[in-house]
């Protein structure tokens, strides 16, 4: 070995998808290049096809009853554990966000902190949603009449295009709270925080298949998720600013099986700093009302 | 359904349909192949152990290669419909209620409500004491009722009990009998006992004016080696099987593509040797349309197009039908479907 300092070879990463708790390559075998905001090479990501979307929905469908069946308290613990792991990966997230979104390190720190805090905030809601959104209805008869929010089922989430971590957490975490399973299609050009999040989820206690992360072209995959008959709801946040697709077209596709649709707020993507709300949780719940006779 | 005729009726390929042969013809064909009039244990062993050994690696490679074909669009549509028409829709549980059998039959009669072009499965497969219920539920519909018999799934019962079990199913009107071979006797090398057993069950099947077709279950998962699968296939065909079937579905591994390829080679060679075309039925473990299409490729490439017919190739399956229907829906509608749109079995 020479004693002069030679430049180290780059370790160029090629990330994979996250489906059913595993990290498969795209069924199509394709990848695409991710660049930083400055245009330099960042990593390769898997370019998901419609068949990957189908596999992800299948995994989400299989995992959903188990996740919904876990106690609300347990779901809260599991989600809080994810926040702990996010905190442990803080430096990597800050690096990904700063490079991908082209913001300063200080701003990236702020965004990552907001994302982790938001995750904790939603984790706390799991065993409180039913108390706030549920009700003992007064009825004219000797019955208990109870309304409780239940998960919608399998939810497809198009993650925001610009805000790669905070935006992602803002649309993903609330869906998980009530017991839905999720297929996330990450930001097309800034998927790395979503990939890192899937690595976090894989080592957390979230059961495999509850969250599935696809990376790829929004216009290619989103229509198949929107039209998929086994997807119960879709969040169209990521349709804003996506090339070649509009949320109106996706909403029309989603109408075929009466999917619950959450439209993007506004005409352009906001900064996501002030968007956590109970409404985001309730958007993907169904109210179940039961009648039960009262003892005389 | 084939009917009894005096002369063997040629099948579509020119091969004789095995169910049309008399017991004497079966025995004469067997003697011809084995090369001994006696068909003693020694003669059978000499013949069966003289069959070429199976190259396990080559077989797995061949199966993997056959499974790598890409089948799309119109070919896929044809394949899916063919798969449905070859399914023996099966329920073999201790908990089979009359209602469950009737709902299975309803599924067979209308696999895809709202699409009259969807073909029906070839048969429903039930336990012997459920045949009558299935028959009544089917009415006159052209779907066969197959009954498992002979002490299914282990087959560990006395000869009298095994035959009585078969007789019950035949009397109840079963169109097809799925018998299990005595694996214990086979593994112990008592080939003549296995042979006699199959001949006796065949006699019961043939005792009716319209004979019941006989499928012989080898239970390949218990035969340990590929060589044994080849020998058992030949032994069953010599004894007069109309179909050779991989498994009961109660033992793991059940049907695999390599084992099915091996059995397809056996029926192909048997046709060449005797002019009799025997069918193959893989059963158990085939759950996805994609897997089923791989089997169709194997049938076409190994045995030949003549076997791409429900009369000569069947799938023993229960959950397979729903997956094929979902794929069918995808092809017609263009969007991915979900389990909410097919029945819960």
């Amino acid at each position: 070995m020479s004693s002069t300092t030679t430049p180290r070879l780059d370790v160029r990463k090629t990330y994979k998808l996250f489906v059913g708790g595993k990290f498969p390559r795209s069924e199509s075998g394709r990848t695409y290049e991710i660049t930083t905001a400055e245009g330099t090479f960042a990593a390769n990501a898997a370019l998901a096809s419609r068949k990957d979307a189908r596999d992800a929905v299948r995994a989400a469908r299989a995992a959903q009853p188990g996740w919904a069946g876990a106690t609300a308290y347990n779901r809260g613990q599991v989600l809080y554990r994810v926040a702990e792991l996010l905190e442990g990966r803080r430096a990597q997230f800050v690096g990904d966000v700063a490079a991908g979104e082209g913001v300063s390190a200080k701003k990236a720190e702020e965004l990552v902190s907001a994302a982790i805090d938001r995750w904790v905030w939603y984790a706390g809601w799991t065993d409180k949603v039913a108390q706030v959104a549920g009700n003992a209805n007064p009825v004219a008869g000797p019955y208990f009449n109870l309304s409780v929010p239940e998960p919608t089922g399998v939810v497809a989430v198009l993650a925001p295009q610009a805000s790669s971590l905070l935006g992602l957490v803002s649309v993903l975490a609330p869906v998980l709270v009530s017991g839905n399973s999720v297929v996330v299609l990450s930001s097309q050009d800034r998927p790395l925080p979503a990939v890192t999040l899937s690595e976090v989820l894989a080592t957390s206690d979230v059961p495999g298949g509850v969250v599935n992360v696809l990376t790829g072209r929004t216009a290619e995959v989103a229509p198949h998720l929107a039209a998929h008959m086994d997807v119960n709801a879709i969040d169209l946040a990521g349709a804003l600013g996506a090339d070649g697709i509009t949320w109106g077209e996706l909403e029309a596709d989603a109408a075929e099986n009466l999917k619950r649709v959450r439209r993007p707020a506004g005409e352009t993507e906001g900064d996501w700093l002030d968007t956590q709300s109970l409404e985001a949780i309730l958007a993907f719940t169904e109210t179940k009302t039961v009648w039960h006779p009262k003892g005389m | 359904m084939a009917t009894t005729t005096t002369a063997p009726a040629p099948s579509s390929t020119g091969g004789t349909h095995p169910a049309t042969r008399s017991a004497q013809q079966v025995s004469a064909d067997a003697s011809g192949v084995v090369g001994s009039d006696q068909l003693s244990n020694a003669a059978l062993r000499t013949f069966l152990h003289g069959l070429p050994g199976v190259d396990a690696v080559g077989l797995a490679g061949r199966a993997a290669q056959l499974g790598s074909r890409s089948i799309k669009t119109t070919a896929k549509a044809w394949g899916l419909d063919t798969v449905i028409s070859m399914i023996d829709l099966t329920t073999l549980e201790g908990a089979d209620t009359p209602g469950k059998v009737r709902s299975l039959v309803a599924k067979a009669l209308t696999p895809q409500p709202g699409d009259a072009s969807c073909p029906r499965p070839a048969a429903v497969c039930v336990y012997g004491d459920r045949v009558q219920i299935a028959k009544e539920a089917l009415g006159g519909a052209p779907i066969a009722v197959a009954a498992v018999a002979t002490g299914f799934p282990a087959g560990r019962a006395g000869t009298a009990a095994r035959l009585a079990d078969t007789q019950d199913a035949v009397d109840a009107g079963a169109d097809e009998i799925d018998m299990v071979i005595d694996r214990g006797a086979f593994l112990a090398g008592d080939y003549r006992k296995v042979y006699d057993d199959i001949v006796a069950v065949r006699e019961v099947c043939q005792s009716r004016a319209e004979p019941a077709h006989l499928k012989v279950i080898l239970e390949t998962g218990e035969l340990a080696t590929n060589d044994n699968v080849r020998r058992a296939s030949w032994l069953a065909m010599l004894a007069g099987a109309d179909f050779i079937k991989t498994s009961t579905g109660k033992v793991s591994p059940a049907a695999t593509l390599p084992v099915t390829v091996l059995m397809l080679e056996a029926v192909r060679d048997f046709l060449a040797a005797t002019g009799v075309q025997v069918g193959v039925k893989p059963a158990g473990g085939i759950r996805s349309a994609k897997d089923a299409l791989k089997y169709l490729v194997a049938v076409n490439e190994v045995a030949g197009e003549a076997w791409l017919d429900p009369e000569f190739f069947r799938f023993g399956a229960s959950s397979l039908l729903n997956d094929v229907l979902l794929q069918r829906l995808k092809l017609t509608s263009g969007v991915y479907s979900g389990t909410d749109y097919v029945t819960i079995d």
Side-chain angles (χ1 to χ4, degrees), chain A residues 50-51 54 58 61 224 227-230 232 256-257, chain B residues 72 290 323 327 330 334-341:
Chain A
R50 63 186 169 87
K51 292 195 177 175
R54 175 199 63 187
R58 192 173 292 165
R61 175 57 66 197
H224 293 287
H228 199 307
M229 302 294 274
D230 209 21
N232 303 110
E256 189 61 38
N257 74 334
Chain B
K72 304 289 179 201
K290 200 172 181 178
D323 195 63
Q327 294 295 321
K330 165 72 174 73
V335 302
Y336 287 117
S337 193
T339 46
D340 288 352
Y341 303 92

Side-chain angles (χ1 to χ4, degrees), chain B residues 128-129 131-132 147-149 161-174 177 204 208:
Chain B
D129 64 338
V131 169
Q132 206 179 347
V148 295
R162 284 162 59 97
L163 292 179
D165 191 11
T166 312
Q167 188 71 57
D168 275 355
V170 171
D171 290 347
I177 296 293
V204 174
R208 211 170 50 190

Side-chain angles (χ1 to χ4, degrees), chain A residues 187-198:
Chain A
S187 164
Q188 178 171 324
D189 297 329
R190 302 178 184 85
L192 296 188
V195 170
T196 309
L197 178 65
S198 60

